Every structure is written in structure tokens, then in C-alpha cells.
């Protein structure tokens, strides 16, 4: 019988959760959800020097905000904890001893200066930079002596020479990597913390991870991991190396290119729905190339079989398009709630919820992010500033006739439905015998501060009776 599906997202707490990490987490989540498996969050905090304060909280909160919930992990626990690697140090030590005993790992006492020198010489001679194996053959007496002298040491893997490692990757298929390219990886540091390579292998095994989904940049390290599995007598998981993320110009996406944190995208006014949808398509596509998917739909449609080998292009214009689509199609009240903080930042008076909802309804189809709506909406909330050019239009006789006609209409009919206003708009044109621009521009300028904008019934409906009359009067007073 196949083993149950257990997948893990294993970020290092070295900063905010970025969209690349979200993709791994999302694919893990979707895989678990679509197969009835389990999704585990494991914090890989063994490199104390790279630890960034607050990043664990940010990772967890970001996943929560996006709706990517894990089944086991920090806070919620589970049967395979602890889920922080820094709390599992004694577990690793036993396996390090076992690898040393087997002769596939060794003490290395080389100092930083020696290693720097080694690297420099190799670079000068155009050689692959890697550990030269100096401490590989120390005798037990030599090792004991150095330890008793208090010399610091690390433990390295003794990678076999002249061996080709075969990797069966779920996405990339069969990959061979020659051991001559592989360093004698440090697996335990002087501070007695394991490195990623050791800790991840041990935890993936002990946590019964069935598939390891991770970025393609880890593929070259996989032989080290396979070597550890072999020597501990364990079966490796299924390797699933996800395609690199590329800029539109196909260069590798990196932090240097911008702030790709979830927080930043949420702050910029992208909805979680579009972030999830966008990230899902970074490397995966459905058979019919459909573009829009809710998280729920993804759990039904997603499959690892349809993840590409080729690098995935990170095209922000696509995210803009998706966000625009979601802003238009999701529940109006939800969009209004999500947008509220941007409107409050502008000091708009949102006390009239009905008006606010109408403003959102009129604004959401015009832009691609939440805060961009405030520009259009400002015409409904702040006193109009009418340009000189537009003022010249308003003072024309025909314009005054139009404005007066509307003023009359509204003082006589305090509550017009949008349909009734639409009828009246047609009627006014006939009665005044003014057409086209001469008819529409003045009323739009008076009510919206611009000759271009929403249709007249929408303007009157959103502004409401009082403000409409007020604006008409102001325009007539010019
Ligand atoms: N801790 C590693 C990282 O943050 C995880 C790689 C893996 O998933 O194995 O990149």
C-alpha cells in the first residue's frame, strides 16, 4: 500500500514570507488537501546567525492570512514535534555519531583562515571550490588529541569519490550528478547545531514526509541528502523540485529585484484571492489553461503532474489583471471591507455605508488594486476642484441651461431611482435640444469635477440628493 501523503513547508526564519515561499507552501497544501494527506509546517532555525526577529510570527501569520492552513506545526503541534529544529538538537546528535561510526562523516579542525586560503587558491587555479579533504584521514588518536586541546571542529560528510548519484525527480525526471562536483558538506557546526542538509533529512524521515517539495536551487544538494539516507538505512522521499521563478526578462527573481513579501503585496492592495491564484500558476497550469481559480477550486484541480520544468515567469501585470477580476467579481461588502483602510487613510468620511458601497461598486471595475480606487472615489468624497478649462465650459449659456434643468428635476423629485434618472437624462436632452458633449460635459464637471466619468444616473445615485443639489448650485454660482 502507498504511504500516506505527508508534505512539509520548511522555511528558515530569515525574513518575511515571500511569494516564492508561498508557492511551495501552497503546492504542499494543495497536494495534501487533494489527496487527504497532511501538510506540515517545520521551522528550520538551525542557522542562528541568519535568524531574523519576528520572522516566525510573520511566516505563520502570512500563511494564515492567505488561508493556507497547516495540519501540524508550531502552535498547533502534532504527533511528530517539536516543529522547530532548534528544539530537536539532541535528536540530530545521535545520527551524527552513527554517521561517524560508519566512516561516512568525519571531524574537521580546519580554521576559517585555512578554509579561506584553500578557496582562494582553488579560485586562482580555476578549480571547483570545495573542501580539499585535509581532515578526512585523521587517526582517532589525532582527533582525540585535538579535541582534548579544545580545538573547535565541525563534522563533514565524507562524500564518495567517482560516483554518480541518480535522482528520480517527480518533475525533472531522471537526473545524474557526479560526486566530484559535491563538497564534503558540513553537517554539524562548531556550535553543535546541524546544518540544513542533515537536519532536513533526519526530520523528513522522522516526520514521515512522503514528498519533498522545494525550490530547484536545492537539486544540486540532493546527492548529499541521498548519501545520508543511504547511510542511515532509510528510503528517501519522492523529490519534487519546483521550477525557478524568473523575471519577465528571464533573469532569476531575487530579493534584489524588490520586496516580494506577502505583507508587501497585501499592503499594495492585492487581495489574498489573487495572490493565491497568481502564485498557483507560477509553474502549474490546468489542462485547459484556465486562469482563474479560487483556493477551493485549486484543491480539486491541482496536481503535481502538471507542474512544469521550465522556469516560471513572475509577471506582475498578470497579477494586476487577476486582482482586477477578483475586485469586480467578489462580494461587494467584502471588497468594501478590504478597501476601507485605504479610504480612511485618505480621510474620506465613510460614515454613510450605503454611499460607500455605491462608491466601491462604481470604482472597483476601473482599476487593478484596492488603493487605486481612492483616486476615482475622491470625486465623491472631497470638494471638487474644477480646472480653468472646465470652468470655461460651465459658464457657457447652454451649460447653465443643463445645470438648471437638473436642479429643477431634483428639487421636484426628491427620490428618483437610477432607472427614473436614466429616463430623465433622455428627456432633458430632448427638452433642452442640447446634445452630446454640450449636454453631458457640464453635468459631469459639476457633479464629478471632470468631463469624463461615470454616467449621470450613477453620479446622482452615489452622491445622493443633497450633495448633488449642492454641487449643481456651486457650479451655477461660478
Ligand atoms: N530551510 C530551507 C529553505 O528555507 C528549506 C528547503 C527545503 O524545503 O528543503 O530554503
Amino acid at each position: 500500500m502507498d504511504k500516506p501523503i505527508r508534505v512539509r513547508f520548511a522555511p528558515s526564519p530569515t525574513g518575511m514570507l515571500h511569494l516564492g515561499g508561498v508557492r511551495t507552501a501552497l503546492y504542499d497544501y494543495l497536494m495534501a488537501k487533494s489527496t487527504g494527506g497532511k501538510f506540515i509546517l517545520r521551522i528550520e532555525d538551525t542557522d542562528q546567525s541568519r535568524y531574523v526577529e519576528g520572522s516566525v510570527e510573520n511566516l505563520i501569520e502570512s500563511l494564515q492570512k492567505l488561508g493556507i492552513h497547516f495540519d501540524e506545526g508550531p502552535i498547533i503541534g502534532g504527533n511528530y514535534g517539536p516543529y522547530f529544529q532548534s528544539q530537536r538538537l539532541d535528536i540530530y546528535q545521535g545520527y551524527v555519531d552513527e554517521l561517524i561510526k560508519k566512516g561516512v562523516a568525519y571531524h574537521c579542525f580546519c580554521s576559517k583562515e585555512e578554509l579561506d586560503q584553500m578557496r582562494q587558491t582553488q579560485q586562482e587555479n580555476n578549480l571547483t571550490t570545495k573542501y580539499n579533504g585535509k581532515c578526512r584521514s585523521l587517526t582517532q588518536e589525532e582527533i582525540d588529541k585535538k579535541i582534548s586541546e579544545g580545538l573547535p571542529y565541525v563534522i563533514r560528510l565524507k562524500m564518495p569519490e567517482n560516483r554518480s548519484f541518480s535522482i528520480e525527480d517527480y518533475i525533472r525526471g531522471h537526473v545524474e550528478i557526479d560526486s566530484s562536483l559535491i563538497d564534503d558538506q558540513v553537517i554539524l557546526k562548531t556550535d553543535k547545531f546541524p546544518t540544513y542538509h542533515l537536519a532536513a533529512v533526519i526530520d523528513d524521515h522522522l516526520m514521515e514526509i512522503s514528498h519533498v517539495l522545494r525550490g530547484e536551487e536545492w537539486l544540486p544538494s540532493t546527492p548529499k541528502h541521498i548519501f545520508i539516507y543511504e547511510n542511515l538505512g532509510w528510503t528517501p522521499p519522492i523529490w519534487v523540485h519546483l521550477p525557478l521563478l524568473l523575471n519577465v526578462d528571464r533573469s532569476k527573481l531575487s530579493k534584489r529585484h524588490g520586496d516580494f513579501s506577502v505583507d508587501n503585496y497585501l499592503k499594495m492592495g492585492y487581495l489574498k484571492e489573487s495572490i493565491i491564484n497568481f502564485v498557483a500558476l507560477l509553474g502549474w497550469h490546468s489542462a485547459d489553461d484556465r486562469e482563474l481559480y479560487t483556493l477551493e477550486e485549486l484543491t480539486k484541480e491541482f496536481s503535481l503532474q502538471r507542474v512544469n520544468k521550465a522556469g516560471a515567469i513572475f509577471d506582475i501585470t498578470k497579477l494586476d489583471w487577476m486582482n482586477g477580476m477578483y475586485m469586480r467579481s467578489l462580494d461587494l461588502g467584502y471588497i468594501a471591507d478590504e478597501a476601507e483602510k485605504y479610504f480612511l487613510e485618505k480621510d474620506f468620511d465613510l460614515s454613510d455605508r450605503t454611499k460607500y458601497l455605491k462608491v466601491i461598486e462604481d470604482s472597483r471595475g476601473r482599476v487593478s488594486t484596492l488603493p487605486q480606487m481612492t483616486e476615482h472615489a475622491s470625486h465623491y468624497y472631497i470638494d471638487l476642484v474644477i480646472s480653468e478649462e472646465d470652468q470655461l465650459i460651465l459658464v457657457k449659456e447652454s451649460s447653465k441651461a443643463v445645470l438648471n434643468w437638473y436642479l429643477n428635476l431634483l428639487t421636484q423629485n426628491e427620490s428618483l431611482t437610477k432607472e427614473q434618472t436614466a429616463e430623465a437624462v433622455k428627456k432633458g436632452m430632448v427638452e433642452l435640444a442640447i446634445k452630446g458633449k454640450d449636454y453631458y460635459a457640464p453635468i459631469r464637471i459639476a457633479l464629478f469635477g471632470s468631463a469624463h466619468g461615470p454616467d449621470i444616473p450613477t453620479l446622482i445615485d452615489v452622491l445622493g440628493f443633497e450633495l448633488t443639489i449642492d454641487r449643481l448650485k456651486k457650479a451655477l454660482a461660478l
Side-chain angles (χ1 to χ4, degrees), residues 95-105 187 198 231-232:
Y95 294 109
V96 172
D97 296 342
E98 193 175 330
L99 291 170
I100 295 173
K101 212 163 4 60
K102 276 206 134 174
V104 292
I187 53 172
L198 180 79
N231 283 291
L232 293 175

Side-chain angles (χ1 to χ4, degrees), residues 8-14 18 24 28 42-45 50 85 196 200 204 212-215 217-218 225 239:
R8 89 301 192 269
F9 176 46
S12 301
T14 56
H18 55 82
T24 308
D28 279 323
R42 181 175 75 221
I43 304 296
E44 301 207 323
D45 56 349
R50 291 179 62 222
Q85 287 188 328
Y196 159 71
D204 286 341
V212 165
L213 278 66
R214 61 185 177 189
E217 64 276 15
W218 292 110
H225 307 160
W239 306 107

Side-chain angles (χ1 to χ4, degrees), residues 292-312:
L292 294 175
Y293 285 96
T294 64
L295 185 56
E296 226 197 321
E297 289 166 342
L298 284 168
T299 57
K300 297 200 188 93
E301 292 288 320
F302 182 83
S303 76
L304 278 184
Q305 278 97 340
R306 300 203 63 86
V307 174
N308 304 328
K309 266 197 261 228

Side-chain angles (χ1 to χ4, degrees), residues 119-131:
R119 190 173 315 115
Q120 199 187 331
T121 319
Q122 286 167 342
Q123 277 166 352
E124 281 163 10
N125 295 303
N126 283 329
L127 297 168
T128 318
T129 49
K130 56 180 214 173
Y131 182 64

Side-chain angles (χ1 to χ4, degrees), residues 320-365:
D320 282 337
W321 169 77
M322 275 180 185
N323 204 55
M325 297 298 274
Y326 281 108
M327 279 172 55
R328 249 154 277 176
S329 62
L330 293 176
D331 176 65
L332 182 65
Y334 170 68
I335 299 297
D337 290 343
E338 293 296 302
E340 193 171 270
K341 67 168 189 245
Y342 304 101
F343 280 66
L344 292 175
E345 273 167 21
K346 298 275 177 188
D347 278 334
F348 297 163
D349 173 11
L350 304 188
S351 54
D352 181 348
R353 173 85 178 172
T354 312
K355 172 176 174 179
Y356 177 52
L357 289 177
K358 288 177 179 175
V359 170
I360 295 293
E361 177 65 12
D362 183 44
S363 310
R364 63 174 173 169

